[in-house]
Amino acid sequence: MTDRPSMPRQPPPEIDTGVAHPARVWNYFLGGKDYFPADQRAADQLLQLMPSLVKAARADREFLVRAVRFLAGEAGIRQFLDIGTGLPTANNTHEIAQAVAPTSRIVYVDNDPLVLVHARALLTSTPDGSTDYIEADLRYPDKILDGASATLDFGQPIALMLLGVVNFIVDDTQAHAIVDRLVGALPSGSYLAMAHPTHEVDRERAEQVTRRWNERGGAPIRVRSREELASFFEGLELVEPGVVSASQWRPDPANRDPIVAVSTYCAVGRKP
């Protein structure tokens, strides 16, 4: 897939176009076109507070690319469970994984009806691989696991991708219970990849952005520290370089631009 999908002229009735939605705001940050005026207004207001949000969004996406290449290549993973998929754009998980290993199987999960509208763009696959889409909420991991089992073999290693989604589970106890349930269902040799916003980079502006977003009445978010993100990997073997800014995780050696820390931490860990 090379072209980004277009916003439908008449969105499904369950989509509230008057309230900013995280997936659409993120799409705006990434330079996409799948957003409504309310999303653009909210995004522009956040960018006034913290212009580096664009860099953070793009660093998060670039982390996904590098992590999936590592997982499909060096780690030999052939199955991916991508929760919190977001709107399709360039370099989706299946495109990256199947470019390395055409037999890769990918299951996408999201609960945004607009993502469902565009899910056909996520269901392209190589003839030897497979893709599927499940409409489900991260808060219901058993539903996700049950649906994913139709495509993924839970007797073989799986890469669980949780990029920019656990921050919507603001309660720590609930967040850990969900991640533990998902990781617990994976066999030995599986991997967890996470990216999560933090206030430890550009603290004052990050806290302003979080406060502004939460005041708007949309899905509340929670930023977490490096230590808090690392706690989700307890019992796993962290892949080098550990928990770092998304821009600093195994950067492309061909990129000669200065590596600047962004307000998103990330990590990849292997289940023994």
Side-chain angles (χ1 to χ4, degrees), residues 194-214:
M194 286 185 67
H196 197 294
T198 183
H199 63 286
E200 292 188 336
V201 178
D202 203 355
R203 179 182 295 271
E204 183 176 349
R205 289 178 177 171
E207 290 177 346
Q208 287 178 342
V209 164
T210 303
R211 186 163 53 250
R212 174 67 64 86
W213 177 263
N214 288 344

Side-chain angles (χ1 to χ4, degrees), residues 120-243:
R120 64 184 181 277
L122 297 171
L123 299 180
T124 59
S125 175
T126 59
D128 297 326
S130 178
T131 60
D132 195 10
Y133 178 85
I134 301 171
E135 186 177 13
D137 193 308
L138 176 61
R139 292 172 176 81
Y140 302 97
D142 287 338
K143 178 180 179 180
I144 293 173
L145 293 169
D146 182 62
S149 65
T151 301
L152 305 180
D153 178 2
F154 279 78
Q156 298 296 322
I158 295 171
L160 172 63
M161 313 293 292
L162 296 174
L163 275 62
V165 62
V166 178
N167 42 292
F168 292 103
I169 311 296
V170 297
D171 180 78
D172 279 337
T173 300
Q174 183 184 18
H176 277 276
I178 291 168
V179 175
D180 288 348
R181 174 70 183 100
L182 292 168
V183 173
L186 306 180
S188 175
S190 294
Y191 285 80
L192 167 65
M194 286 185 67
H196 197 294
T198 183
H199 63 286
E200 292 188 336
V201 178
D202 203 355
R203 179 182 295 271
E204 183 176 349
R205 289 178 177 171
E207 290 177 346
Q208 287 178 342
V209 164
T210 303
R211 186 163 53 250
R212 174 67 64 86
W213 177 263
N214 288 344
E215 288 173 352
R216 295 187 62 86
I221 61 173
R222 161 78 184 275
V223 296
R224 290 183 169 93
S225 67
R226 183 195 302 265
E227 182 179 353
E228 287 173 319
L229 179 56
S231 68
F232 287 99
F233 289 84
E234 289 183 6
L236 304 182
E237 301 166 348
L238 278 175
V239 174
E240 290 293 335
V243 180

Side-chain angles (χ1 to χ4, degrees), residues 1-261:
M1 183 181 66
T2 57
D3 295 330
R4 294 176 181 174
S6 299
M7 177 63 66
R9 293 180 181 179
Q10 295 296 328
E14 64 269 27
I15 295 177
D16 186 350
T17 63
V19 177
H21 189 282
R24 303 194 301 260
V25 170
W26 202 251
N27 185 264
Y28 179 80
F29 288 157
L30 289 174
K33 56 185 178 181
D34 295 322
Y35 54 85
F36 295 102
D39 307 304
Q40 183 174 359
R41 287 193 299 270
D44 286 340
Q45 289 172 4
L46 296 178
L47 290 174
Q48 287 179 356
L49 294 173
M50 192 175 184
S52 62
L53 280 173
V54 168
K55 290 183 179 179
R58 294 178 180 178
D60 177 277
R61 193 69 187 184
E62 290 162 3
F63 164 66
L64 180 146
V65 172
R66 298 194 302 273
V68 173
R69 283 177 180 160
F70 160 78
L71 291 164
E74 184 177 335
I77 296 296
R78 298 293 178 265
Q79 303 188 107
F80 294 80
L81 179 55
D82 187 339
I83 304 176
T85 302
L87 289 160
T89 181
N91 292 323
N92 298 294
T93 298
H94 73 282
E95 295 171 309
I96 306 161
Q98 292 182 345
V100 177
T103 59
S104 296
R105 289 178 285 177
I106 296 88
V107 172
Y108 292 105
V109 182
D110 209 297
N111 68 336
D112 181 0
L114 186 58
V115 177
L116 179 60
V117 170
H118 290 304
R120 64 184 181 277
L122 297 171
L123 299 180
T124 59
S125 175
T126 59
D128 297 326
S130 178
T131 60
D132 195 10
Y133 178 85
I134 301 171
E135 186 177 13
D137 193 308
L138 176 61
R139 292 172 176 81
Y140 302 97
D142 287 338
K143 178 180 179 180
I144 293 173
L145 293 169
D146 182 62
S149 65
T151 301
L152 305 180
D153 178 2
F154 279 78
Q156 298 296 322
I158 295 171
L160 172 63
M161 313 293 292
L162 296 174
L163 275 62
V165 62
V166 178
N167 42 292
F168 292 103
I169 311 296
V170 297
D171 180 78
D172 279 337
T173 300
Q174 183 184 18
H176 277 276
I178 291 168
V179 175
D180 288 348
R181 174 70 183 100
L182 292 168
V183 173
L186 306 180
S188 175
S190 294
Y191 285 80
L192 167 65
M194 286 185 67
H196 197 294
T198 183
H199 63 286
E200 292 188 336
V201 178
D202 203 355
R203 179 182 295 271
E204 183 176 349
R205 289 178 177 171
E207 290 177 346
Q208 287 178 342
V209 164
T210 303
R211 186 163 53 250
R212 174 67 64 86
W213 177 263
N214 288 344
E215 288 173 352
R216 295 187 62 86
I221 61 173
R222 161 78 184 275
V223 296
R224 290 183 169 93
S225 67
R226 183 195 302 265
E227 182 179 353
E228 287 173 319
L229 179 56
S231 68
F232 287 99
F233 289 84
E234 289 183 6
L236 304 182
E237 301 166 348
L238 278 175
V239 174
E240 290 293 335
V243 180
V244 295
S245 172
S247 57
Q248 298 170 335
W249 196 90
R250 300 195 172 201
D252 185 347
N255 185 0
R256 301 299 182 183
D257 295 331
I259 298 174
V260 179

